[in-house]
Each structure stands twice: as structure tokens, then as C-alpha cells.
């Protein structure tokens, strides 16, 4: 697994990776797993995630779905795909035993490694906190069972619970179990310098860097996170 330490400011960084859609659980593993609440929620979560990823990749290239329900579903899936962008790296990392950190070549390797561990540590604490909060919200949503119809509040908290649980496992895997190698990248240093350019030149340069790194969604990520210096 390749992870990129992307400079989004003079002294600010974000971890980034591009991974394929979540693979389906092997049939033998699914058959062996207990048929309990956690397994059912994980299965529903993975199904929705895979569908949301397909919707994100399809974007607006195809004709918009017809009918109010179909449009609402497509809008929901796009929202899910975009809202989970920051967690996609951690979800994938939870299954990895080896990973490579690419970092700007104007950093020393120990500094880049420290930044990686600091970010993963913050992610672990953040997702542990929200897992507790959403678990309490899920328990509290049980009070709505008397209201006819599906308990959408419970589904909302259940979705968030599974997402934070996966992220927590990914951060822990990256901190304690995965074996990391590292490699410097001049292109990532160029990405830092691009922040100082005017908007048109910056956009051209970021597109060139994304193409050279073969990262399809880096431009969108950079636009969302990088803040030009004043």
C-alpha cells in the first residue's frame, strides 16, 4: 500500500492514498462468521460503501436517474462517498501488513516518519472518541422504536459506528503492526511550492504532478485541503 505525505501548507500535511473499492468478504469467511448484529451491520456498511464508490467514480458522466426515489438514492450515495473520503485510507490500512510512505524530498526521513505517526495517533484518538459518542447515540435511538417505519436515526448512528470502528482499526494497524518503508519524492516537494503560485498556474502544476504520480483524485483532494499562503 502506498501512502503519500501531501503538503497542504508550509508546515501542514495530510496523509493520502488511492485504493480500489472495498473487496467483498470471501464466502468462506462470511459463512464462518457468527450471524450477529455486528456482522450484519458490517455487511450492510460494505455494500453501501461499494455502491457509493461506484457512484463516485461514475459521477455525472451518465444520465441522471429518473424518479424522485432514484435521484434521492443517487444523491445520498454521492454524499456518502464524499463524506468518507478522509477515512478511506484508514479503512484500507487495517488490512495491510506492509506500507510505503512517500514524502517530500525537502524533509528528512525521521521527520516524515514522525509526521506519519503523529497523524495516525490523532486519527486513533479522534475515531475512538466518536465511536463512543455514536455508540451512545445508537443506544439512545432505540427509544424511537415505537414510531412506525424504519428507524433512520438508528441506521445513521450504526453507519457512523462501523465507519469509526474501521478507522480505529486502521490507525492501530498503522501504528503498531504494519511494517513501513519510505521513499522521498521530488514531486511532493513541488506540490508544496505550487501553493505559492497564482490560481491558474497552481491548477496546471497540480494537474501535472497528479498525472506524474498516477493519482486520479489528487487534484480534488488538494483543492479541498490546501490553503494558499497569504
Amino acid at each position: 500500500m502506498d501512502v503519500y505525505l501531501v503538503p497542504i501548507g508550509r508546515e501542514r500535511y495530510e496523509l493520502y492514498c488511492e485504493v480500489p473499492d472495498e473487496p467483498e468478504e470471501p464466502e468462506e469467511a462470511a459463512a464462518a462468521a457468527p450471524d450477529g448484529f455486528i456482522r450484519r451491520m458490517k455487511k450492510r456498511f460494505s455494500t453501501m460503501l461499494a455502491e457509493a464508490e461506484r457512484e463516485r467514480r461514475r459521477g455525472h458522466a451518465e444520465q441522471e436517474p429518473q424518479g424522485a426515489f432514484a435521484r434521492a438514492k443517487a444523491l445520498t450515495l454521492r454524499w456518502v462517498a464524499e463524506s468518507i473520503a478522509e477515512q478511506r485510507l484508514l479503512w484500507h490500512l487495517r488490512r495491510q501488513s506492509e506500507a510505503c510512505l512517500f514524502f517530500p524530498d525537502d524533509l528528512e526521513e525521521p521527520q516524515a516518519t514522525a509526521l506519519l505517526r503523529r497523524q495516525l495517533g490523532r486519527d486513533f484518538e479522534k475515531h475512538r472518541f466518536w465511536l463512543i459518542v455514536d455508540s451512545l447515540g445508537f443506544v439512545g435511538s432505540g427509544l424511537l422504536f415505537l414510531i412506525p417505519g424504519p428507524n433512520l436515526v438508528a441506521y445513521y448512528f450504526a453507519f457512523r459506528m462501523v465507519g469509526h470502528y474501521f478507522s480505529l482499526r486502521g490507525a492501530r494497524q498503522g501504528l503498531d503492526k504494519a511494517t513501513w518503508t519510505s521513499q522521498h519524492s521530488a514531486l511532493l516537494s513541488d506540490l508544496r511550492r505550487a501553493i505559492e503560485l497564482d490560481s491558474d498556474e497552481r491548477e496546471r502544476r497540480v494537474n501535472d504532478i497528479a498525472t506524474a504520480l498516477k493519482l486520479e483524485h489528487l487534484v480534488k483532494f488538494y483543492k479541498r485541503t490546501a490553503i494558499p499562503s497569504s
Side-chain angles (χ1 to χ4, degrees):
M1 176 182 177
D2 294 336
V3 177
Y4 297 83
L5 186 65
V6 176
I8 59 171
R10 291 179 178 176
E11 301 294 335
R12 297 172 58 236
Y13 300 87
E14 286 286 346
L15 298 177
Y16 178 79
C17 76
E18 292 191 4
V19 298
D21 296 349
E22 287 281 289
E24 295 184 1
E25 187 179 18
E27 292 184 4
E28 59 273 15
D35 189 15
F37 171 78
I38 296 298
R39 176 173 175 257
R40 292 197 304 271
M41 291 310 305
K42 288 174 66 176
K43 183 176 181 180
R44 290 177 183 176
F45 181 88
S46 297
T47 299
M48 175 177 279
L49 176 60
E51 192 172 357
E53 288 285 359
R54 288 192 294 270
E55 185 69 23
R56 178 179 68 90
R57 291 181 180 278
R58 183 163 57 242
H60 299 282
E62 298 182 3
Q63 184 178 1
E64 287 293 315
Q66 300 299 313
F69 178 79
R71 288 195 296 271
K73 180 181 179 181
L75 182 63
T76 300
L77 291 174
R78 289 171 189 167
W79 175 81
V80 168
E82 293 303 322
S83 66
I84 63 179
E86 68 174 89
Q87 300 187 59
R88 194 172 290 118
L89 182 151
L90 295 175
W91 292 348
H92 191 65
L93 184 58
R94 77 185 194 274
R95 294 174 172 169
Q96 307 303 310
S97 58
E98 297 180 352
C100 180
L101 176 68
F102 290 83
F103 62 93
D105 66 355
D106 54 6
L107 290 178
E108 297 294 332
E109 183 177 0
Q111 184 181 2
T113 301
L115 288 168
L116 167 69
R117 295 192 60 82
R118 186 186 307 166
Q119 181 64 58
L120 290 177
R122 284 199 299 259
D123 288 339
F124 179 85
E125 295 297 334
K126 178 180 70 174
H127 291 292
R128 181 170 62 177
F129 171 79
W130 283 111
L131 178 59
I132 295 172
V133 171
D134 290 324
S135 297
L136 294 174
F138 177 78
V139 172
S141 68
L143 299 175
L144 301 175
F145 76 96
L146 293 175
I147 301 177
N151 192 337
L152 298 180
V153 176
Y155 278 117
Y156 169 77
F157 281 114
F159 180 85
R160 287 176 56 89
M161 281 171 54
V162 176
H164 288 304
Y165 171 70
F166 282 176
S167 295
L168 192 71
R169 285 184 53 195
R172 173 66 74 186
Q173 180 76 10
L175 284 168
D176 297 338
K177 297 181 180 180
T179 300
W180 288 89
T181 56
S182 58
Q183 183 173 330
H184 58 76
S185 169
L187 289 171
L188 290 177
S189 297
D190 288 345
L191 202 57
R192 187 203 311 281
R193 289 187 283 270
I195 297 174
E196 307 292 342
L197 302 175
D198 65 77
S199 58
D200 291 339
E201 181 61 27
R202 181 169 62 248
E203 183 172 357
R204 285 193 293 271
R205 185 59 186 141
V206 172
N207 272 282
D208 290 343
I209 293 172
T211 299
L213 291 173
K214 298 180 181 180
L215 296 175
E216 179 183 358
H217 303 292
L218 178 62
V219 174
K220 182 184 293 186
F221 172 82
Y222 190 80
K223 286 181 179 179
R224 187 174 70 249
T225 58
I227 301 176
S229 302
S230 58

